[in-house]
């Protein structure tokens, strides 16, 4: 099975490179396999029309948030991730 | 003027039950009758079993007759309703989804068990956004809740039925869940109070997670006086509130930049927030502007954490039966598929830094004042407006940081839709938030109810 990518108009494309005009945010970091993972390879044909719009919407939002965090001030290297502390345990 | 029985809050209902001027059965029957008359327009309920409710109410009445008044459970006979993402023994749990199972839950979620132990009467299960993340769409298996102030409009979500039913006076209190603002958002849209307590204070056991580190259970009421009664039952800890006549000595940090510089609020909402700040000053509070990182950055932290965790919670379902979800749920749940492990950990580190920023502000302030929604409720049939509304809120930063945050009503738009604001406090600082809200509401707020044809 060939690669699966979004096109600029929201359609899914198989194989080869994304068509000219594909927004940058949709190109480099969408794994070729994510769509197959979501719906299962065998269901892909039936699902792609429905899911193209939903997933492009999701990808756009993810990319916006990713960008905001990546463009933010770096954090001190020693700062650990948030974790529930003893005062926040249910 | 005498308050109608269906308009009683929790404290008023308890007072009348104690005085035996009304029985739990009469109170429950009145609310069931009201739901019968009105809920066909509001769609707050997804499920209720009047016969069981009345059996429970009669049992509460018997217990009150038999028992020593000092030894009765604290909420004996008080009717409440539960968002339909929390299992309640004997009732089905639908999540407002086609994934619903018709089978009744074999046991209560931990927080529901606590309410039951306090003697509350559980009226039924309430409308939600699908799995507490979707939204009002045409492809829902049951009708979406409507905003009682304008039935053509969105009641907010995801605890939509809880807020809509409270505003319509179908019950005196409801229990919602809040991951990124799902108690506070609908409370804002429907003009009621909704509290996201300190992270971890109320057990989530028994509730299917939407996310693993953000989900919280929260009480919703029409008055501040009612909140500690429900919160104490949910948390299992008594609450001592120092009610106050004024706000002299209270230090309030006003996060005005959220809605003036970072994301422009609707002008009516911005004006209402400035008026609320001025009202707090006139009650004696020292209100000054304070700053956090820009709102879109804070929202991105919560967005990344919530999306990755929600994707993990639902990826098998999306893979196996994507058509069982509504389109809006698919769009929102799939966001996490596009984020990496590094994105998630980066967001969790930034979450830690943001928590420290809020703690630092609260070292010098007793509470923070911030916007809740930045736009009034939109039409419920306007999909584009609903999709566009998600970034126009200031609640999610405090979902990330875990601080208690309370939505309270502060006004109405010219078109008659509610406007809310948030008070944010220190960890375990709910008592101060509630007391300050009560002082403000007593001075500046008059209870209003939407009118239904059945009321006239």
């Amino acid at each position: 099975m060939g690669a699966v990518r979004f096109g600029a108009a929201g359609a899914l494309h198989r194989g080869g490179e994304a068509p000219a005009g594909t927004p940058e945010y949709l190109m480099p970091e969408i794994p070729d396999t994510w769509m197959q993972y979501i719906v299962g390879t065998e269901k892909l044909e039936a699902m792609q029309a429905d899911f193209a719009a939903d997933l492009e919407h999701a990808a756009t939002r993810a990319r916006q948030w990713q960008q905001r965090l990546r463009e933010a001030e770096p954090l001190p290297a020693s700062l650990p991730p948030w974790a529930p502390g003893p005062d926040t345990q249910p | 003027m005498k308050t109608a029985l269906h308009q009683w809050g929790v404290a008023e209902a308890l007072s009348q039950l104690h005085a035996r001027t009304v029985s739990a059965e009469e109170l429950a029957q009145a609310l069931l009758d009201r739901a019968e008359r009105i809920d066909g327009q509001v769609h707050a309920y997804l499920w209720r079993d009047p016969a069981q409710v009345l059996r429970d109410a009669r049992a509460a009445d018997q217990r009150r007759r038999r028992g020593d008044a000092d030894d009765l459970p604290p909420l004996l006979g008080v009717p409440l309703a539960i968002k339909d993402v929390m299992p309640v023994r004997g009732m089905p749990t639908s999540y407002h989804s086609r994934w619903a199972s018709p089978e009744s839950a074999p046991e209560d979620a931990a927080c529901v068990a606590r309410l039951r132990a306090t003697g509350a009467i559980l009226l039924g299960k309430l409308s939600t956004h699908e799995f507490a993340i979707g939204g009002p769409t045409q492809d829902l298996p049951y009708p979406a809740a409507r905003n009682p102030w304008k039935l053509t409009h969105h009641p907010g979500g995801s605890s939509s039925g809880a807020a809509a039913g409270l505003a319509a006076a179908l019950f005196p209190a409801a229990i919602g869940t809040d991951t990124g603002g799902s108690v506070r958002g609908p409370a804002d849209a429907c003009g009621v109070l909704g509290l996201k307590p300190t992270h971890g204070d109320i057990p989530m056991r028994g509730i299917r997670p939407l996310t693993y580190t953000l989900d919280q259970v929260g009480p919703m009421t029409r008055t501040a006086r009612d909140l500690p009664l429900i919160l104490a039952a949910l948390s299992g800890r008594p609450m001592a509130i120092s009610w106050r006549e004024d706000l002299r000595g209270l230090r309030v940090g006003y996060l005005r930049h959220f809605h003036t510089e970072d994301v422009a609020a609707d002008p009516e909402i911005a004006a209402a927030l400035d008026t609320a700040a001025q009202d707090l000053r006139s009650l004696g509070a020292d209100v000054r502007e304070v700053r956090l990182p820009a709102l879109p950055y804070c929202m991105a932290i919560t967005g990344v954490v919530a999306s990755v965790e929600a994707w993990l919670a639902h990826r098998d379902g999306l893979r196996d039966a994507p058509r069982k979800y509504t389109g809006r749920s698919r769009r929102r749940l799939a966001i996490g598929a596009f984020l990496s492990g590094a994105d998630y950990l980066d967001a969790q580190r930034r979450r830690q830094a943001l928590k420290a920023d809020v703690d630092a502000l609260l070292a010098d302030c007793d509470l923070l004042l911030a916007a809740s929604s930045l736009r009034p409720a939109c039409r419920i049939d306007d999909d584009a407006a609903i999709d566009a509304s998600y970034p126009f809120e200031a609640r999610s930063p405090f979902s990330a940081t875990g601080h208690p945050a309370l939505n309270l009503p502060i006004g109405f738009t010219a078109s008659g839709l509610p406007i809310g604001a948030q008070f944010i406090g220190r960890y375990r600082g709910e008592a101060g938030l509630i007391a300050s809200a009560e002082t403000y509401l007593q001075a500046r707020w008059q209870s209003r109810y939407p009118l239904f044809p059945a009321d006239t």
Side-chain angles (χ1 to χ4, degrees):
Chain A
M1 174 146 192
V4 179
R5 291 186 187 278
F6 277 126
L12 286 167
H13 297 270
R14 249 194 223 177
E17 294 302 311
T22 300
E24 185 274 336
Y25 62 78
L26 290 176
M27 287 178 59
E29 296 201 27
I30 298 174
D32 288 346
T33 53
W34 66 264
M35 183 72 181
Q36 297 165 38
Y37 183 74
I38 293 171
V39 300
T41 303
E42 74 283 359
K43 299 178 185 169
L44 189 57
E45 287 290 349
M47 295 294 175
Q48 69 177 31
D50 282 359
F51 279 104
D54 290 343
L55 295 173
E56 183 160 346
H57 186 280
T60 304
R61 179 58 58 86
R63 201 70 177 138
Q64 285 169 349
W65 286 338
Q66 232 171 19
Q67 288 293 109
R68 279 182 205 156
L69 298 191
R70 289 182 186 180
E71 289 166 3
E73 292 284 312
L75 296 171
S78 60
L79 185 74
W82 180 92
D87 60 342
T88 64
Q89 294 290 352
Chain B
M1 193 172 71
K2 195 174 172 188
T3 310
L5 187 146
H6 61 265
Q7 293 175 340
W8 289 352
V10 176
E12 175 70 9
L14 273 172
S15 165
Q16 301 284 353
L17 288 164
H18 284 319
R20 310 217 180 165
T21 54
V22 71
S23 69
E25 183 180 4
E26 288 167 335
L27 183 55
Q29 184 69 64
L31 293 173
L32 290 169
D33 290 346
R34 183 167 175 79
E36 197 62 37
R37 290 196 303 274
I38 285 177
D39 200 43
Q41 300 165 72
V42 179
H43 301 296
Y45 279 107
L46 288 177
W47 195 89
R48 61 186 188 274
D49 178 354
Q52 183 62 49
V53 168
L54 293 174
R55 278 195 294 276
D56 292 346
R58 282 193 287 271
D61 286 331
Q62 283 175 5
R63 189 167 180 186
R64 187 174 293 280
R65 279 194 294 272
R66 283 196 315 264
D68 175 349
D70 293 333
D71 199 28
L72 293 172
L75 296 179
L76 185 64
V78 173
L80 307 173
I82 311 287
K83 181 180 181 179
D84 197 15
V85 298
M86 288 174 258
V88 176
R89 191 181 67 230
M91 302 185 193
T93 313
S94 80
Y95 307 95
H96 214 134
S97 174
R98 282 188 287 264
W99 286 92
S101 159
E103 291 172 15
S104 296
E107 57 186 36
D108 292 329
C111 63
V112 174
R114 286 184 175 181
L115 289 170
R116 207 188 281 277
T118 62
I121 306 296
L122 305 178
L123 290 171
K125 305 296 286 293
L126 300 172
S127 183
T128 168
H129 290 178
E130 185 182 30
F131 287 114
I133 194 171
T137 51
Q138 301 306 311
D139 50 348
L140 282 169
Y142 321 105
R146 303 284 181 133
N147 193 319
W149 293 100
K150 241 181 210 185
L151 291 168
T152 50
H153 278 58
H154 192 358
S158 62
S159 306
S160 44
L166 266 175
L170 296 179
F171 31 78
I175 312 301
T177 59
D178 191 313
T179 295
S182 283
V183 160
R184 292 161 287 157
D188 171 280
C190 294
V192 298
L193 289 95
L195 175 68
K196 182 193 77 68
T198 302
H199 183 271
D201 253 14
I202 298 174
M204 298 300 300
R205 282 192 309 282
I207 302 174
R208 176 184 171 147
L210 170 61
T211 70
Y212 300 94
T213 71
L214 291 162
D215 294 358
Q216 292 185 244
V217 168
M220 301 167 76
T221 61
R222 288 189 296 267
T223 75
R225 291 250 172 198
D226 290 346
L227 275 174
L229 300 168
I230 307 298
L231 185 59
L234 289 168
S235 68
R237 284 200 305 274
M239 288 197 73
I241 310 270
S242 301
W243 305 108
R244 43 196 299 175
E245 293 292 314
D246 59 42
L247 299 177
R248 275 178 291 185
L250 188 78
R251 299 165 302 168
V252 177
Y254 183 17
L255 287 162
R256 191 168 185 271
H257 71 94
F258 272 3
H259 64 270
T260 57
E261 298 173 34
D262 301 346
V263 182
D266 175 274
E268 281 186 289
I269 291 176
L273 285 160
D274 282 347
T275 300
Q278 193 53 44
D279 287 342
L280 294 174
R281 283 190 190 100
S282 68
L283 287 164
D286 170 19
V287 182
R288 57 197 162 84
E289 288 192 37
V290 294
R291 299 188 72 88
L292 282 174
L295 180 57
Y297 167 80
C298 301
M299 292 166 68
I301 293 171
T302 311
V304 168
V305 172
S307 298
V308 172
E309 295 184 5
W311 166 243
L312 177 60
H314 283 277
R315 68 181 177 186
D316 290 346
L318 281 165
R319 184 176 55 190
D320 294 341
R323 288 187 195 280
K324 282 180 83 170
Y325 291 89
T326 62
R328 182 163 279 117
S329 295
R330 280 198 301 269
R331 288 196 291 279
R332 303 196 73 204
L333 287 168
I335 296 170
F338 298 94
L339 295 162
S340 67
D343 290 327
Y344 178 75
L345 274 178
D346 182 40
Q348 289 283 34
R349 293 178 72 231
R350 295 183 182 281
R351 181 180 181 182
Q352 182 79 341
L354 182 60
K355 176 182 179 296
D357 290 338
V358 176
D359 284 339
L361 290 184
L362 288 167
D364 291 328
C365 300
D366 299 304
L367 64 84
L368 304 176
L369 167 68
S372 187
S373 290
L374 303 179
R375 287 181 174 177
C378 62
R379 283 187 65 94
I380 200 164
D381 57 0
D382 187 341
D383 274 346
I386 291 170
D387 280 339
S389 70
Y390 288 108
F392 288 90
E393 54 88 13
R395 295 175 285 268
S396 55
F398 310 104
S399 301
T401 66
H403 294 86
L406 169 65
N407 180 89
L408 67 159
I410 60 167
F412 282 85
T413 64
S415 66
L417 288 164
I419 299 172
Q422 289 183 98
F423 284 177
I424 301 99
R426 301 183 190 111
Y427 272 43
R428 301 253 159 85
E430 284 86 347
L433 294 186
I434 292 168
S436 301
E438 170 68 2
T439 306
Y440 167 83
L441 292 170
Q442 283 296 322
R444 297 290 183 266
W445 183 253
Q446 188 161 14
S447 292
R448 287 163 64 172
Y449 293 90
L451 265 183
F452 293 89
D455 290 329
T456 54

